[in-house]
């Protein structure tokens, strides 16, 4: 029975593999309009975080294979080839170009491959947990959805998209935090610059008014002396009164 089951599963996988290849073949000849629609479909913001998804290549594809697919797609969605929908074509072209730049670079391609490998590991762990649960509940004869190769591939695909989305959210969070930090520093710098400017202005005004203050003080002293002098000069002692006898 085990042999029969294994054979059936082998046949099922062969059928699935053939079907996947047919889908890839069909997608590879999508018209320019269909490719633009694919790249700008609802939810494309997250779908397009995965450069392998954008260029419709397997993660284990060689750089030459990726480059060929990129060239083919970039020609299909190029704005000059889609004059009747040039604005959307430009958006699609930029998405394709961005995906190629990501995979062309060794470091960023490795990061993408690491995400894909992590997705496979998490999926395998999830499958293992499901099987443990079946074993614990004495339901060993039952299967799990991921026993179907197509569903397992889809599970890896979903997990991959989730990890790319998580990475993008972290990037955006760090970007916002960095922007706020730069804004805070700039506000502190402006405050410091304003304080320094006010102190310089005060010092300048104080220096410029020094002569005026000195002259005012001299004038005050001179006026005070004149008043004292006049007061002394105008003072007349009282006449002595004769003594009465």
């Amino acid at each position: 029975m085990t042999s029969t089951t294994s054979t059936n599963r082998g046949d099922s996988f062969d059928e699935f593999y053939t079907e996947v290849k047919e889908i890839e073949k069909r997608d590879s000849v999508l018209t320019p309009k269909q490719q633009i629609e694919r790249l700008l479909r609802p939810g494309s913001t997250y779908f397009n975080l995965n450069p392998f998804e954008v260029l419709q290549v397997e993660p284990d594809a060689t750089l030459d294979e990726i480059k060929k697919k990129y060239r083919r797609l970039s020609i299909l969605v190029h704005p000059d080839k889609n004059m009747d929908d040039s604005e959307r074509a430009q958006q699609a072209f930029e998405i394709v170009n961005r995906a190629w730049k990501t995979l062309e670079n060794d470091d960023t391609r490795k990061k993408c491959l690491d995400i894909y490998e992590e997705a496979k590991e998490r999926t395998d762990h999830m499958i293992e947990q499901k099987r443990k649960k079946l074993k614990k509940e004495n339901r060993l004869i039952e299967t799990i959805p991921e026993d179907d190769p197509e569903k397992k591939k889809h599970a890896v695909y979903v997990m991959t998209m989730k990890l790319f989305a998580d990475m993008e959210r972290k990037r955006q969070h760090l970007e916002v935090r960095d922007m706020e930090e730069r804004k805070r520093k700039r506000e502190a710098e402006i405050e410091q610059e304003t304080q320094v400017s006010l102190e310089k202005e005060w010092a300048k005004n104080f220096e410029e008014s020094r002569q005026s203050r000195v002259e005012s003080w001299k004038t005050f002293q001179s006026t005070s002396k004149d008043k004292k002098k006049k007061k002394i000069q105008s003072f007349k002692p009282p006449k002595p009164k004769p003594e009465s006898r």
Side-chain angles (χ1 to χ4, degrees):
M1 182 175 179
T2 303
S3 177
T4 302
T5 303
S6 298
T7 302
N8 290 337
R9 287 184 179 176
D11 292 341
S12 176
F13 178 77
D14 289 340
E15 290 174 4
F16 162 68
Y17 185 78
T18 302
E19 183 180 350
V20 168
K21 287 301 177 183
E22 287 298 322
I23 292 173
E24 290 177 350
K25 183 178 179 181
R26 183 188 66 205
D27 287 350
S28 67
V29 293
L30 287 177
T31 65
K33 183 177 180 180
Q34 289 171 324
Q35 286 289 3
I36 292 172
E37 290 295 334
R38 179 181 72 85
L39 293 167
L40 300 180
R41 67 194 184 278
S44 60
T45 300
Y46 284 103
F47 283 115
N48 295 336
L49 292 173
N50 183 349
F52 301 114
E53 168 74 10
V54 171
L55 298 181
Q56 296 179 305
V57 294
E58 292 296 326
D60 58 357
T62 66
L63 190 58
D64 284 340
E65 292 171 336
I66 297 172
K67 190 174 185 178
K68 288 178 182 177
K69 196 60 182 287
Y70 157 68
R71 286 178 173 174
R72 189 181 308 135
L73 276 175
S74 62
I75 291 172
L76 283 175
V77 302
H78 198 284
D80 292 346
K81 300 289 185 181
N82 299 274
M83 298 298 289
D84 60 331
D85 195 11
S86 59
E87 186 175 337
R88 281 163 52 82
Q90 180 65 36
Q91 294 177 36
F93 180 77
E94 290 173 0
I95 291 169
V96 170
N97 190 57
R98 187 162 55 246
W100 163 245
K101 292 296 182 184
T102 299
L103 296 180
E104 179 188 30
N105 181 277
D106 290 340
D107 293 334
T108 49
R109 185 170 74 254
K110 184 180 183 305
K111 289 180 180 178
C112 292
L113 287 171
D114 289 344
I115 290 174
Y116 176 69
E117 290 300 322
E118 183 179 348
K120 289 200 299 183
E121 290 175 2
R122 290 196 182 192
T123 302
D124 288 340
H125 178 72
M126 178 266 293
I127 291 173
E128 183 181 354
Q129 292 301 112
K130 284 186 177 182
R131 285 176 176 156
K132 283 183 178 180
K133 184 179 179 181
L134 288 177
K135 183 177 180 181
K136 186 177 180 180
E137 296 174 354
N138 294 319
R139 297 159 56 194
L140 295 176
I141 60 173
E142 296 182 28
T143 60
I144 58 176
E146 290 75 20
D147 284 334
D148 182 336
E150 182 177 0
K151 291 183 179 178
K152 180 178 180 180
K153 185 179 179 71
H154 179 71
V156 173
Y157 170 80
V158 171
M159 182 60 71
T160 301
M161 299 308 298
K162 180 182 182 301
L163 292 177
F164 270 108
D166 289 344
M167 182 179 71
E168 176 62 13
R169 278 192 288 268
K170 288 178 182 178
R171 185 195 68 78
Q172 291 179 0
H173 175 71
L174 290 174
E175 188 177 82
V176 169
R177 191 173 68 180
D178 182 60
M179 184 172 64
E180 290 176 346
E181 180 64 17
R182 289 200 305 271
K183 181 181 178 182
R184 187 191 64 76
K185 286 183 178 179
R186 183 53 187 155
E187 288 175 347
E189 288 173 357
I190 291 174
E191 184 178 352
Q192 180 66 22
E193 290 169 1
T194 301
Q195 182 64 27
V196 171
S197 178
L198 289 173
E199 289 175 357
K200 286 183 177 179
E201 185 69 20
W202 184 88
K204 179 182 177 183
N205 292 337
F206 182 82
E207 187 63 29
E208 289 177 349
S209 63
R210 180 191 297 275
Q211 187 61 33
S212 176
R213 292 196 309 276
V214 170
E215 291 175 356
S216 295
W217 175 247
K218 287 181 177 178
T219 301
F220 171 76
Q221 286 183 320
S222 176
T223 302
S224 297
K225 287 179 180 179
D226 289 343
K227 286 181 178 179
K228 286 181 179 180
K229 186 176 181 181
K230 287 180 180 180
K231 189 174 182 180
I232 293 173
Q233 290 176 348
S234 61
F235 175 75
K236 293 181 179 181
K239 293 180 179 182
K241 292 181 180 182
E243 294 181 2
S244 57
R245 293 184 179 182

